[in-house]
Amino acid sequence: MSNKQISELLKKVASAYAIKNEKKFFFQIIAYQKAADAIENSQSQIVNLYKKGQLESLPGVGPSIKAHLEELLKNGEVKHFNWVFEDIPDSVFQLLKIPGFGPKKAYKLTTCLHLKNAETAIDELEKAANSNKISQIEGFGEKSQQEILRAIEEFKKGNTKEKKMNLSIATEVSEKIISYLKESKDVLRVETLGSLRRSKETIKDIDIAVSTNNPKKVIKHFISYPYSEKTIEEGVISASIAAFGGKQIDLMTQSPDGFGSLMQHFTGSKNHNIKLREYALKKGLSLSEYGIKKNKKLIKFKTEENFYNALKMQWIPPEMREDGGEIELALKNKLPKLIELKDLKGDLHIHSNYSIEPSHDLGKDTMERILETAIKMKYEYIAFSEHNPSVSKHTNKSVYEILSRRSLKIEQLYSNIKSVRLIKLLEIDILANGELAIDNRSIDLLDGFIASIHSSFNASQEDMTKRILNALSHPKAKILGHPTGRIINQREGYKLNWDKIFDFCKKNNKALEINSWPSRLDINDKLIREAIQNKVKLVINSDSHAAWQMTMLKYGVANARRGWAKKENILNTLPYDKFIEWLKK
DNA sequence: GCCGTTTTCGGCCCGACTGTTTTCAGTCG
């Protein structure tokens, strides 16, 4: 069972408890939700923790839930859960997938409308709404009936509670909204908050905060956004709209003297805030988006720094706010100094359009154009890393000839410019049998190479791991490119034995790539943190296929920060000489 | 059901918004 499946089961238990008797099971509900959350966000496979007997290492998993999980993984089911689910029709859990549906609403509609078949429950619900049956039910009215129809429509379009957009899309949307909001003179300051500020790899809603003395006018301006498709909520201090194909944008306002508190609250994460508020409560303080209450007296904060400092802790970078131990470190004044974009001295994974007749896609821009961009970005060095020439179309001899020409071209380019050092890399396919796509004579023309998998994704964990370690054993294989191969929202990564890979990389001086391409972000934040704990070196690359894409490196840096990476963990923060020393080692 | 920088027992984050209500329940973040 995957972490996701286990987490969903625990969420179902929490929902079922809420239906059975919310008051009686109030704290069990919270406990199950907490455990589900911890499992969903765990960097280790729960199955592995179970085998190692380490289930209790998960926050929120105590003796009782631990025993249930053991039963689940041993027998495939849990007696206690079966009891909890006893009187609750499956249709309830189907309806819970619809935005705006919680346990109570789902249960009431399931029973009142006799939705017996989970598979058809949503269709039947839609029919009932269309034939005006829902507004007749006690507690529902005409408006909620319409709202249910809208929610079902959203659901059928694929906008479920899980649906999220990539970081780059969310960034673009938020930039548009922000520049629109700034047109209002009542907007004194505007910031992107929420998961976008924390640079999560995928974003559900875009959260925007505005500092203003006139929230009414700001909200009016916001809901009048020309690209708004619908006003979802319109309150006194906050509002939500849908725009750009149903993407939800939430706005919160606050006066300037309390804006720091709002930023802190609205940046989250939820778990970070809960931990922080629980901690504060023990000190007799109550935290909210308005400030800190002490003896019923509210203290406001203009800046986030002041807010955290008032709790006697360091300001915590947003990327770290996931309740992963950051609060404890901030209290001890021991937060790591995270890597920043400006620390990077070069980009090692760039595809030019040099006619290498590659196995995969060629870049769109010339080497010259890429070099110009690198100069603008003030890089000390870059590496050209096109895909290897297609093996099916070339003999070893012609591969050698192509790469010789390319080598010469790069040398000429450098002798003409001499401002940015050029490194000759290549992205070489790891074949299904673990061998490299091109032979050693051709590889000798390179300063080193990035080894990547682009085929046969479905091999077993053991075979896949062997395949990679075999390829990395080549002395010139220095970087494992997009190590898991996942494509966000499209393809799961292949299964790997990370203990073995970390161990091999550490011993043999190989680096793992943090690929900055927004739909890859590979390896992800959790693996980055684990790699660092295992003393494995990393590189942050753009994997650009056009010059403008070289700025995508910012997403890799954000991801690295989420993995608590410091400058010294990332090899392409090294100056050229030191970097080459590593490359040739 | 979990958890401990006052606690192994007695707590458990805090508030906005909507719809159906006439003081609140449900959902969300």
Side-chain angles (χ1 to χ4, degrees):
Chain A
M1 271 182 111
S2 70
N3 287 11
K4 183 93 195 154
Q5 288 168 317
I6 297 171
S7 158
E8 272 169 14
L9 179 64
L10 296 188
K11 281 184 197 166
K12 273 176 78 172
V13 174
S15 300
Y17 266 136
I19 293 164
K20 273 188 140 52
N21 190 334
E22 192 179 28
K23 285 208 174 98
K24 184 173 167 193
F25 296 118
F26 190 78
F27 295 109
Q28 278 91 334
I29 294 167
I30 294 174
Y32 274 92
Q33 280 165 344
K34 227 177 190 173
D37 209 65
I39 287 170
E40 191 176 346
N41 292 311
S42 166
Q43 54 191 330
S44 328
Q45 292 290 319
I46 301 308
V47 182
N48 292 342
L49 289 181
Y50 161 65
K51 284 180 195 157
K52 291 186 204 163
Q54 293 174 349
L55 282 175
E56 265 172 323
S57 68
L58 287 161
V61 175
S64 172
I65 293 182
K66 178 193 161 206
H68 294 325
L69 289 178
E70 285 171 345
E71 192 183 335
L72 175 72
L73 294 168
K74 202 174 154 202
N75 303 334
E77 62 171 359
V78 184
K79 269 190 185 163
H80 176 68
F81 292 177
N82 291 342
W83 172 80
V84 178
F85 294 143
E86 213 169 36
D87 313 315
I88 299 169
D90 276 345
S91 302
V92 171
F93 302 110
Q94 192 63 22
L95 299 196
L96 274 175
K97 293 176 185 167
I98 304 172
F101 275 64
K104 299 289 176 59
K105 198 195 269 188
Y107 183 70
K108 182 140 200 192
L109 289 170
T110 301
T111 47
C112 289
L113 297 168
H114 309 292
L115 306 176
K116 287 191 183 110
N117 185 343
E119 279 176 26
T120 60
I122 292 178
D123 288 332
E124 284 178 52
L125 182 68
E126 193 176 16
K127 266 188 213 158
N130 279 323
S131 50
N132 203 29
K133 278 183 190 154
I134 292 179
S135 60
Q136 314 298 317
I137 301 171
E138 193 200 339
F140 291 82
E142 182 60 33
K143 277 192 175 170
S144 20
Q145 185 166 268
Q146 286 310 314
E147 177 54 30
I148 286 170
L149 279 173
R150 193 193 70 86
I152 292 176
E153 192 188 340
E154 286 296 316
F155 175 78
K156 289 193 169 169
K157 271 195 275 179
N159 294 334
T160 61
K161 291 172 188 170
E162 309 284 316
K163 171 90 175 192
K164 292 177 179 175
M165 65 193 119
N166 285 356
L167 184 55
S168 56
I169 308 267
T171 304
E172 284 166 26
V173 171
S174 79
E175 281 165 1
K176 285 180 193 159
I177 304 267
I178 283 180
S179 74
Y180 169 75
L181 284 171
K182 281 181 176 167
E183 289 172 13
S184 161
K185 65 177 188 337
D186 294 301
V187 172
L188 303 176
R189 189 176 162 195
V190 50
E191 295 288 340
T192 304
L193 303 179
S195 52
L196 188 48
R197 183 171 182 228
R198 301 199 312 280
S199 295
K200 271 196 87 168
E201 62 189 33
T202 55
I203 311 289
K204 202 167 119 276
D205 305 329
I206 292 170
D207 298 324
I208 311 266
V210 165
S211 166
T212 181
N213 291 314
N214 196 340
K216 231 181 178 173
K217 274 197 177 166
V218 170
I219 284 173
K220 194 153 192 313
H221 179 64
F222 175 63
I223 62 170
S224 316
Y225 183 54
Y227 296 100
S228 169
E229 290 148 9
K230 184 187 187 331
T231 301
I232 298 169
E233 276 180 7
E234 184 188 346
V236 183
I237 55 167
S238 68
S240 299
I241 59 169
F244 305 109
K247 295 179 176 66
Q248 184 169 335
I249 299 144
D250 298 333
L251 179 85
M252 279 183 109
T253 62
Q254 176 75 273
S255 59
D257 57 350
F259 196 63
S261 317
L262 178 64
M263 281 186 70
Q264 195 290 319
H265 163 77
F266 210 13
T267 297
S269 67
K270 188 177 158 199
N271 289 339
H272 174 84
N273 282 354
I274 289 176
K275 177 63 83 62
L276 202 62
R277 287 169 186 195
E278 277 173 356
Y279 169 77
L281 211 56
K282 283 167 193 160
K283 305 271 174 200
L285 306 170
S286 170
L287 314 184
S288 77
E289 58 263 52
Y290 295 105
I292 301 181
K293 251 187 232 167
K294 191 177 182 181
N295 302 326
K296 301 201 171 169
K297 194 170 167 282
L298 182 72
I299 310 158
K300 293 183 177 184
F301 296 90
K302 273 184 193 163
T303 71
E304 250 190 2
E305 283 79 1
N306 293 346
F307 187 97
Y308 279 101
N309 293 342
L311 296 168
K312 296 196 168 55
M313 61 178 78
Q314 284 175 287
W315 175 84
I316 302 174
E319 297 92 337
M320 294 182 80
R321 299 184 198 170
E322 300 288 347
D323 189 20
E326 73 281 6
I327 292 172
E328 292 81 351
L329 287 183
L331 280 166
K332 291 186 211 149
N333 211 25
K334 282 189 175 164
L335 287 176
K337 184 172 177 346
L338 302 182
I339 182 173
E340 295 175 41
L341 186 59
K342 66 174 170 55
D343 294 329
L344 290 176
K345 302 271 196 305
D347 187 347
L348 308 163
H349 193 164
I350 304 172
H351 297 260
S352 76
N353 70 357
Y354 185 80
S355 60
I356 199 168
E357 298 167 52
S359 49
H360 309 285
D361 43 348
L362 197 65
K364 289 188 179 62
D365 287 315
T366 59
M367 287 183 166
E368 285 81 357
R369 173 104 178 71
I370 288 164
L371 186 51
E372 276 170 31
T373 311
I375 293 169
K376 264 188 220 153
M377 294 177 82
K378 299 197 165 58
Y379 282 152
E380 215 176 293
Y381 51 91
I382 56 167
F384 290 109
S385 310
E386 292 81 14
H387 291 288
N388 56 264
S390 158
V391 182
S392 55
K393 288 181 198 148
H394 300 95
T395 60
N396 282 339
K397 186 161 170 280
S398 71
V399 168
Y400 181 79
E401 283 163 3
I402 292 172
L403 290 177
S404 300
R405 280 202 301 275
R406 172 180 172 265
S407 194
L408 209 60
K409 160 90 183 174
I410 294 173
E411 281 160 22
Q412 281 170 350
L413 197 57
Y414 177 66
S415 66
N416 289 343
I417 307 240
K418 290 205 168 154
S419 55
V420 173
R421 304 299 296 248
L422 301 181
I423 302 169
K424 285 178 258 176
L425 300 185
L426 199 67
E427 185 177 13
I428 300 183
D429 287 337
I430 302 173
L431 304 178
N433 60 10
E435 286 178 13
L436 297 165
I438 63 174
D439 69 4
N440 276 332
R441 185 160 161 261
S442 291
I443 291 176
D444 276 343
L445 294 166
L446 307 168
D447 296 321
F449 66 89
I450 300 171
S452 303
I453 287 185
H454 294 107
S455 62
S456 307
F457 299 126
N458 294 324
S460 70
Q461 173 177 315
E462 204 191 339
D463 287 349
M464 218 57 174
T465 306
K466 260 191 208 161
R467 189 177 163 190
I468 284 177
L469 295 186
N470 191 55
L472 284 182
S473 301
H474 193 289
K476 285 207 169 180
K478 299 304 291 186
I479 299 169
L480 178 62
H482 43 73
T484 76
R486 65 105 173 241
I487 307 285
I488 294 174
N489 288 334
Q490 287 176 43
R491 184 173 80 205
E492 292 259 318
Y494 24 83
K495 305 276 174 288
L496 295 172
N497 183 331
W498 285 103
D499 288 340
K500 278 190 184 163
I501 293 194
F502 288 150
D503 193 51
F504 183 90
C505 290
K506 186 183 148 196
K507 282 188 182 139
N508 297 287
N509 213 16
K510 311 290 182 183
L512 296 175
E513 180 178 70
I514 299 174
N515 189 298
S516 306
W517 191 248
S519 58
R520 286 194 184 271
L521 292 176
D522 184 6
I523 50 180
N524 70 12
D525 47 5
K526 291 167 195 160
L527 276 170
I528 291 169
R529 201 166 163 198
E530 225 178 318
I532 291 169
Q533 282 163 355
N534 282 283
K535 300 192 166 58
V536 173
K537 294 291 184 191
L538 303 162
V539 294
I540 303 177
N541 289 334
S542 70
D543 199 358
S544 296
H545 287 67
W548 71 268
Q549 293 170 357
M550 289 163 71
T551 60
M552 296 288 191
L553 214 59
K554 65 183 176 191
Y555 298 118
V557 172
N559 205 31
R561 289 170 63 85
R562 289 184 56 81
W564 296 28
K566 296 183 280 190
K567 187 178 169 182
E568 54 262 41
N569 302 124
I570 309 293
L571 287 165
N572 47 333
T573 61
L574 292 173
Y576 177 76
D577 291 344
K578 294 275 180 201
F579 180 76
I580 288 296
E581 204 176 291
W582 169 77
L583 193 68
K584 305 273 161 143
K585 202 156 33 181

PDB file of all heavy atoms in Angstrom, chain A residues 339-361:
ATOM      1  N   ILE A 339      20.308  28.024   0.957  1.00  0.00           N
ATOM      2  CA  ILE A 339      20.886  28.483  -0.309  1.00  0.00           C
ATOM      3  C   ILE A 339      19.994  29.554  -0.942  1.00  0.00           C
ATOM      4  O   ILE A 339      18.775  29.536  -0.758  1.00  0.00           O
ATOM      5  CB  ILE A 339      21.063  27.309  -1.296  1.00  0.00           C
ATOM      6  CG1 ILE A 339      21.714  27.806  -2.572  1.00  0.00           C
ATOM      7  CG2 ILE A 339      19.747  26.612  -1.581  1.00  0.00           C
ATOM      8  CD1 ILE A 339      22.102  26.750  -3.540  1.00  0.00           C
ATOM      9  N   GLU A 340      20.626  30.480  -1.675  1.00  0.00           N
ATOM     10  CA  GLU A 340      19.866  31.489  -2.422  1.00  0.00           C
ATOM     11  C   GLU A 340      20.272  31.432  -3.884  1.00  0.00           C
ATOM     12  O   GLU A 340      21.350  30.934  -4.217  1.00  0.00           O
ATOM     13  CB  GLU A 340      20.167  32.884  -1.859  1.00  0.00           C
ATOM     14  CG  GLU A 340      19.677  33.058  -0.434  1.00  0.00           C
ATOM     15  CD  GLU A 340      20.096  34.405   0.148  1.00  0.00           C
ATOM     16  OE1 GLU A 340      20.030  35.410  -0.588  1.00  0.00           O
ATOM     17  OE2 GLU A 340      20.490  34.428   1.317  1.00  0.00           O
ATOM     18  N   LEU A 341      19.393  31.965  -4.729  1.00  0.00           N
ATOM     19  CA  LEU A 341      19.640  31.938  -6.172  1.00  0.00           C
ATOM     20  C   LEU A 341      21.003  32.542  -6.510  1.00  0.00           C
ATOM     21  O   LEU A 341      21.740  32.032  -7.351  1.00  0.00           O
ATOM     22  CB  LEU A 341      18.512  32.689  -6.890  1.00  0.00           C
ATOM     23  CG  LEU A 341      18.521  32.641  -8.419  1.00  0.00           C
ATOM     24  CD1 LEU A 341      18.449  31.221  -8.938  1.00  0.00           C
ATOM     25  CD2 LEU A 341      17.380  33.470  -9.001  1.00  0.00           C
ATOM     26  N   LYS A 342      21.352  33.618  -5.833  1.00  0.00           N
ATOM     27  CA  LYS A 342      22.598  34.318  -6.157  1.00  0.00           C
ATOM     28  C   LYS A 342      23.846  33.495  -5.817  1.00  0.00           C
ATOM     29  O   LYS A 342      24.944  33.813  -6.258  1.00  0.00           O
ATOM     30  CB  LYS A 342      22.644  35.678  -5.461  1.00  0.00           C
ATOM     31  CG  LYS A 342      22.720  35.602  -3.938  1.00  0.00           C
ATOM     32  CD  LYS A 342      22.904  37.007  -3.363  1.00  0.00           C
ATOM     33  CE  LYS A 342      22.749  37.074  -1.856  1.00  0.00           C
ATOM     34  NZ  LYS A 342      23.588  36.186  -1.046  1.00  0.00           N
ATOM     35  N   ASP A 343      23.672  32.431  -5.029  1.00  0.00           N
ATOM     36  CA  ASP A 343      24.823  31.587  -4.684  1.00  0.00           C
ATOM     37  C   ASP A 343      25.290  30.721  -5.860  1.00  0.00           C
ATOM     38  O   ASP A 343      26.411  30.222  -5.857  1.00  0.00           O
ATOM     39  CB  ASP A 343      24.478  30.650  -3.517  1.00  0.00           C
ATOM     40  CG  ASP A 343      24.230  31.409  -2.225  1.00  0.00           C
ATOM     41  OD1 ASP A 343      24.854  32.469  -2.037  1.00  0.00           O
ATOM     42  OD2 ASP A 343      23.419  30.936  -1.406  1.00  0.00           O
ATOM     43  N   LEU A 344      24.418  30.532  -6.839  1.00  0.00           N
ATOM     44  CA  LEU A 344      24.762  29.623  -7.936  1.00  0.00           C
ATOM     45  C   LEU A 344      25.726  30.293  -8.909  1.00  0.00           C
ATOM     46  O   LEU A 344      25.489  31.407  -9.362  1.00  0.00           O
ATOM     47  CB  LEU A 344      23.505  29.163  -8.665  1.00  0.00           C
ATOM     48  CG  LEU A 344      22.621  28.213  -7.860  1.00  0.00           C
ATOM     49  CD1 LEU A 344      21.349  27.898  -8.637  1.00  0.00           C
ATOM     50  CD2 LEU A 344      23.360  26.920  -7.522  1.00  0.00           C
ATOM     51  N   LYS A 345      26.807  29.563  -9.237  1.00  0.00           N
ATOM     52  CA  LYS A 345      27.825  30.128 -10.120  1.00  0.00           C
ATOM     53  C   LYS A 345      27.687  29.612 -11.547  1.00  0.00           C
ATOM     54  O   LYS A 345      28.410  30.052 -12.430  1.00  0.00           O
ATOM     55  CB  LYS A 345      29.215  29.751  -9.594  1.00  0.00           C
ATOM     56  CG  LYS A 345      29.501  30.217  -8.184  1.00  0.00           C
ATOM     57  CD  LYS A 345      30.107  31.592  -8.216  1.00  0.00           C
ATOM     58  CE  LYS A 345      30.775  31.993  -6.906  1.00  0.00           C
ATOM     59  NZ  LYS A 345      29.908  31.903  -5.728  1.00  0.00           N
ATOM     60  N   GLY A 346      26.800  28.664 -11.760  1.00  0.00           N
ATOM     61  CA  GLY A 346      26.655  28.127 -13.108  1.00  0.00           C
ATOM     62  C   GLY A 346      25.524  27.147 -13.222  1.00  0.00           C
ATOM     63  O   GLY A 346      24.931  26.740 -12.224  1.00  0.00           O
ATOM     64  N   ASP A 347      25.216  26.797 -14.471  1.00  0.00           N
ATOM     65  CA  ASP A 347      24.112  25.878 -14.778  1.00  0.00           C
ATOM     66  C   ASP A 347      24.716  24.763 -15.631  1.00  0.00           C
ATOM     67  O   ASP A 347      25.416  25.032 -16.606  1.00  0.00           O
ATOM     68  CB  ASP A 347      23.045  26.667 -15.555  1.00  0.00           C
ATOM     69  CG  ASP A 347      21.768  25.877 -15.799  1.00  0.00           C
ATOM     70  OD1 ASP A 347      21.775  24.645 -15.603  1.00  0.00           O
ATOM     71  OD2 ASP A 347      20.770  26.503 -16.204  1.00  0.00           O
ATOM     72  N   LEU A 348      24.452  23.519 -15.266  1.00  0.00           N
ATOM     73  CA  LEU A 348      25.190  22.406 -15.877  1.00  0.00           C
ATOM     74  C   LEU A 348      24.349  21.554 -16.808  1.00  0.00           C
ATOM     75  O   LEU A 348      24.790  20.539 -17.311  1.00  0.00           O
ATOM     76  CB  LEU A 348      25.741  21.503 -14.765  1.00  0.00           C
ATOM     77  CG  LEU A 348      26.535  22.269 -13.716  1.00  0.00           C
ATOM     78  CD1 LEU A 348      26.702  21.447 -12.469  1.00  0.00           C
ATOM     79  CD2 LEU A 348      27.876  22.682 -14.293  1.00  0.00           C
ATOM     80  N   HIS A 349      23.113  21.937 -16.997  1.00  0.00           N
ATOM     81  CA  HIS A 349      22.247  21.088 -17.817  1.00  0.00           C
ATOM     82  C   HIS A 349      21.468  21.975 -18.778  1.00  0.00           C
ATOM     83  O   HIS A 349      20.364  22.420 -18.495  1.00  0.00           O
ATOM     84  CB  HIS A 349      21.300  20.288 -16.904  1.00  0.00           C
ATOM     85  CG  HIS A 349      20.591  19.173 -17.600  1.00  0.00           C
ATOM     86  ND1 HIS A 349      19.971  18.149 -16.920  1.00  0.00           N
ATOM     87  CD2 HIS A 349      20.393  18.909 -18.914  1.00  0.00           C
ATOM     88  CE1 HIS A 349      19.435  17.311 -17.788  1.00  0.00           C
ATOM     89  NE2 HIS A 349      19.664  17.762 -18.997  1.00  0.00           N
ATOM     90  N   ILE A 350      22.096  22.258 -19.927  1.00  0.00           N
ATOM     91  CA  ILE A 350      21.488  23.141 -20.922  1.00  0.00           C
ATOM     92  C   ILE A 350      21.571  22.473 -22.292  1.00  0.00           C
ATOM     93  O   ILE A 350      22.634  21.992 -22.695  1.00  0.00           O
ATOM     94  CB  ILE A 350      22.217  24.503 -20.972  1.00  0.00           C
ATOM     95  CG1 ILE A 350      22.224  25.148 -19.575  1.00  0.00           C
ATOM     96  CG2 ILE A 350      21.550  25.430 -21.986  1.00  0.00           C
ATOM     97  CD1 ILE A 350      23.074  26.399 -19.496  1.00  0.00           C
ATOM     98  N   HIS A 351      20.447  22.434 -22.976  1.00  0.00           N
ATOM     99  CA  HIS A 351      20.393  21.849 -24.316  1.00  0.00           C
ATOM    100  C   HIS A 351      20.409  22.969 -25.346  1.00  0.00           C
ATOM    101  O   HIS A 351      19.481  23.776 -25.406  1.00  0.00           O
ATOM    102  CB  HIS A 351      19.115  21.028 -24.492  1.00  0.00           C
ATOM    103  CG  HIS A 351      19.030  19.848 -23.567  1.00  0.00           C
ATOM    104  ND1 HIS A 351      19.333  18.568 -23.957  1.00  0.00           N
ATOM    105  CD2 HIS A 351      18.698  19.748 -22.254  1.00  0.00           C
ATOM    106  CE1 HIS A 351      19.168  17.732 -22.935  1.00  0.00           C
ATOM    107  NE2 HIS A 351      18.793  18.429 -21.883  1.00  0.00           N
ATOM    108  N   SER A 352      21.455  23.031 -26.175  1.00  0.00           N
ATOM    109  CA  SER A 352      21.475  24.004 -27.271  1.00  0.00           C
ATOM    110  C   SER A 352      20.859  23.347 -28.503  1.00  0.00           C
ATOM    111  O   SER A 352      20.480  22.177 -28.466  1.00  0.00           O
ATOM    112  CB  SER A 352      22.916  24.394 -27.580  1.00  0.00           C
ATOM    113  OG  SER A 352      23.541  23.347 -28.298  1.00  0.00           O
ATOM    114  N   ASN A 353      20.803  24.112 -29.610  1.00  0.00           N
ATOM    115  CA  ASN A 353      20.266  23.507 -30.842  1.00  0.00           C
ATOM    116  C   ASN A 353      21.383  22.963 -31.721  1.00  0.00           C
ATOM    117  O   ASN A 353      21.177  22.714 -32.902  1.00  0.00           O
ATOM    118  CB  ASN A 353      19.382  24.509 -31.590  1.00  0.00           C
ATOM    119  CG  ASN A 353      20.191  25.645 -32.210  1.00  0.00           C
ATOM    120  OD1 ASN A 353      21.415  25.709 -32.035  1.00  0.00           O
ATOM    121  ND2 ASN A 353      19.527  26.517 -32.937  1.00  0.00           N
ATOM    122  N   TYR A 354      22.577  22.810 -31.171  1.00  0.00           N
ATOM    123  CA  TYR A 354      23.696  22.269 -31.954  1.00  0.00           C
ATOM    124  C   TYR A 354      23.284  20.925 -32.563  1.00  0.00           C
ATOM    125  O   TYR A 354      22.754  20.052 -31.861  1.00  0.00           O
ATOM    126  CB  TYR A 354      24.933  22.087 -31.070  1.00  0.00           C
ATOM    127  CG  TYR A 354      26.130  21.643 -31.882  1.00  0.00           C
ATOM    128  CD1 TYR A 354      26.857  22.569 -32.618  1.00  0.00           C
ATOM    129  CD2 TYR A 354      26.485  20.305 -31.944  1.00  0.00           C
ATOM    130  CE1 TYR A 354      27.929  22.167 -33.399  1.00  0.00           C
ATOM    131  CE2 TYR A 354      27.559  19.896 -32.723  1.00  0.00           C
ATOM    132  CZ  TYR A 354      28.267  20.828 -33.451  1.00  0.00           C
ATOM    133  OH  TYR A 354      29.313  20.422 -34.232  1.00  0.00           O
ATOM    134  N   SER A 355      23.526  20.769 -33.853  1.00  0.00           N
ATOM    135  CA  SER A 355      22.933  19.619 -34.551  1.00  0.00           C
ATOM    136  C   SER A 355      23.655  18.328 -34.202  1.00  0.00           C
ATOM    137  O   SER A 355      24.537  17.850 -34.884  1.00  0.00           O
ATOM    138  CB  SER A 355      22.970  19.852 -36.055  1.00  0.00           C
ATOM    139  OG  SER A 355      24.312  19.996 -36.450  1.00  0.00           O
ATOM    140  N   ILE A 356      23.235  17.805 -33.103  1.00  0.00           N
ATOM    141  CA  ILE A 356      23.887  16.616 -32.562  1.00  0.00           C
ATOM    142  C   ILE A 356      23.081  15.363 -32.948  1.00  0.00           C
ATOM    143  O   ILE A 356      23.470  14.248 -32.688  1.00  0.00           O
ATOM    144  CB  ILE A 356      24.016  16.788 -31.021  1.00  0.00           C
ATOM    145  CG1 ILE A 356      25.058  15.863 -30.431  1.00  0.00           C
ATOM    146  CG2 ILE A 356      22.674  16.661 -30.330  1.00  0.00           C
ATOM    147  CD1 ILE A 356      25.412  16.202 -28.991  1.00  0.00           C
ATOM    148  N   GLU A 357      21.932  15.589 -33.604  1.00  0.00           N
ATOM    149  CA  GLU A 357      21.019  14.511 -34.018  1.00  0.00           C
ATOM    150  C   GLU A 357      20.719  13.578 -32.853  1.00  0.00           C
ATOM    151  O   GLU A 357      21.069  12.407 -32.854  1.00  0.00           O
ATOM    152  CB  GLU A 357      21.605  13.746 -35.203  1.00  0.00           C
ATOM    153  CG  GLU A 357      21.779  14.650 -36.421  1.00  0.00           C
ATOM    154  CD  GLU A 357      22.645  14.024 -37.500  1.00  0.00           C
ATOM    155  OE1 GLU A 357      22.349  12.892 -37.887  1.00  0.00           O
ATOM    156  OE2 GLU A 357      23.611  14.668 -37.917  1.00  0.00           O
ATOM    157  N   PRO A 358      20.078  14.151 -31.848  1.00  0.00           N
ATOM    158  CA  PRO A 358      20.001  13.466 -30.553  1.00  0.00           C
ATOM    159  C   PRO A 358      18.939  12.378 -30.485  1.00  0.00           C
ATOM    160  O   PRO A 358      18.075  12.270 -31.351  1.00  0.00           O
ATOM    161  CB  PRO A 358      19.632  14.601 -29.592  1.00  0.00           C
ATOM    162  CG  PRO A 358      18.839  15.545 -30.430  1.00  0.00           C
ATOM    163  CD  PRO A 358      19.406  15.458 -31.820  1.00  0.00           C
ATOM    164  N   SER A 359      19.022  11.628 -29.403  1.00  0.00           N
ATOM    165  CA  SER A 359      18.052  10.576 -29.136  1.00  0.00           C
ATOM    166  C   SER A 359      16.720  11.175 -28.684  1.00  0.00           C
ATOM    167  O   SER A 359      15.675  10.573 -28.841  1.00  0.00           O
ATOM    168  CB  SER A 359      18.597   9.660 -28.044  1.00  0.00           C
ATOM    169  OG  SER A 359      19.070  10.427 -26.956  1.00  0.00           O
ATOM    170  N   HIS A 360      16.778  12.371 -28.075  1.00  0.00           N
ATOM    171  CA  HIS A 360      15.551  13.032 -27.621  1.00  0.00           C
ATOM    172  C   HIS A 360      15.555  14.463 -28.127  1.00  0.00           C
ATOM    173  O   HIS A 360      16.339  14.791 -29.006  1.00  0.00           O
ATOM    174  CB  HIS A 360      15.444  12.964 -26.096  1.00  0.00           C
ATOM    175  CG  HIS A 360      15.616  11.576 -25.570  1.00  0.00           C
ATOM    176  ND1 HIS A 360      14.638  10.615 -25.668  1.00  0.00           N
ATOM    177  CD2 HIS A 360      16.676  10.958 -24.993  1.00  0.00           C
ATOM    178  CE1 HIS A 360      15.082   9.488 -25.157  1.00  0.00           C
ATOM    179  NE2 HIS A 360      16.314   9.662 -24.736  1.00  0.00           N
ATOM    180  N   ASP A 361      14.716  15.318 -27.512  1.00  0.00           N
ATOM    181  CA  ASP A 361      14.549  16.653 -28.084  1.00  0.00           C
ATOM    182  C   ASP A 361      15.793  17.537 -28.026  1.00  0.00           C
ATOM    183  O   ASP A 361      16.516  17.591 -27.040  1.00  0.00           O
ATOM    184  CB  ASP A 361      13.363  17.366 -27.429  1.00  0.00           C
ATOM    185  CG  ASP A 361      13.345  17.159 -25.920  1.00  0.00           C
ATOM    186  OD1 ASP A 361      14.107  16.290 -25.442  1.00  0.00           O
ATOM    187  OD2 ASP A 361      12.602  17.870 -25.237  1.00  0.00           O
TER     188      ASP A 361
END
